[in-house]
Amino acid sequence: MTTVLNGTRQIWSGDYQAGPGYGALDERDGYWDFTDAIPVLFITLDRLEAGGPHAAVWWRCGHRQWETLPDALDNPADRRAWEVRGKVRRVRYDEELAQREREWAVEKERWAWKRPEPDPVPEVCERCGRPVTGPVGEDDTEFAPPEDGRHCSTCRSDMRQYPTLRSTLFGRRPRSK
């Protein structure tokens, strides 16, 4: 068997075809092309009598083990197996890419600048409880200072006319905006 195995190597061995990989460069893969190869099988009478033709009694050159006839005739490292491995690698690569994109989106969301929400404007005057903005055409709005969002027009006029304790003690200072 060994003499036949070594003498017929070019007949039963396939040609290795390297294929592209996915992801890292060290994931390159390939397959054995057995298109022009002829499978060379051995069987011994002792094994055939002991197990019959359907048992693992066949030895194919290049497989290195006793197999059943369908397994001995099959090429486990051929293009079909390579394509299955390629599908698994593509799925894994797509999952890794999706995971990186999710992580990037979370990081981007974490670092995104969010405009602070403005403080809610009270709808009633802090001083008297009346509405801050009165109906259009109300008489006292003509002479009131501009709206500050906290006081009604009457209270704004009163605060401008009557000095506060602070302004009485320390003098009137111009307001900064």
Side-chain angles (χ1 to χ4, degrees):
M1 283 176 49
T2 307
T3 306
V4 173
L5 181 85
N6 292 332
T8 60
R9 184 172 302 275
Q10 292 185 358
I11 294 172
W12 56 260
S13 65
D15 297 322
Y16 185 75
Q17 305 292 322
Y22 288 92
L25 293 176
D26 58 348
E27 285 193 41
R28 298 231 178 243
D29 193 11
Y31 63 93
W32 288 95
D33 184 15
F34 292 100
T35 305
D36 294 330
I38 299 171
V40 177
L41 301 175
F42 295 106
I43 189 168
T44 63
L45 288 176
D46 296 337
R47 288 185 171 269
L48 186 60
E49 286 176 356
H54 299 292
V57 295
W58 300 92
W59 182 274
R60 179 173 174 179
C61 294
H63 281 203
R64 297 189 174 116
Q65 63 189 7
W66 293 97
E67 300 172 310
T68 62
L69 185 59
D71 291 338
L73 293 175
D74 189 27
N75 297 314
D78 65 352
R79 186 176 184 90
R80 291 174 298 150
W82 175 70
E83 288 173 352
V84 169
R85 290 190 308 267
K87 286 179 185 176
V88 170
R89 277 192 304 271
R90 273 183 247 127
V91 168
R92 187 177 62 221
Y93 178 74
D94 291 342
E95 288 173 356
E96 289 173 1
L97 188 61
Q99 177 65 24
R100 277 185 276 172
E101 287 176 1
R102 284 191 297 270
E103 290 171 358
W104 173 250
V106 167
E107 193 69 18
K108 187 177 176 183
E109 180 71 25
R110 190 170 71 95
W111 286 97
W113 181 76
K114 294 181 182 172
R115 194 177 292 242
E117 294 185 20
D119 294 332
V121 179
E123 297 180 9
V124 293
C125 179
E126 291 179 358
R127 193 167 163 203
C128 67
R130 289 180 36 197
V132 172
T133 56
V136 179
E138 194 175 291
D139 292 329
D140 56 349
T141 57
E142 291 179 28
F143 304 106
E147 287 187 23
D148 60 359
R150 295 174 38 202
H151 300 96
C152 65
S153 59
T154 307
C155 292
R156 286 194 312 266
S157 298
D158 290 346
M159 287 188 297
R160 174 141 313 192
Q161 290 175 1
Y162 303 109
T164 61
L165 178 62
R166 180 174 179 253
S167 64
T168 305
L169 293 175
F170 300 109
R172 199 149 181 88
R173 295 184 185 172
R175 290 188 180 203
S176 63
K177 291 188 179 184

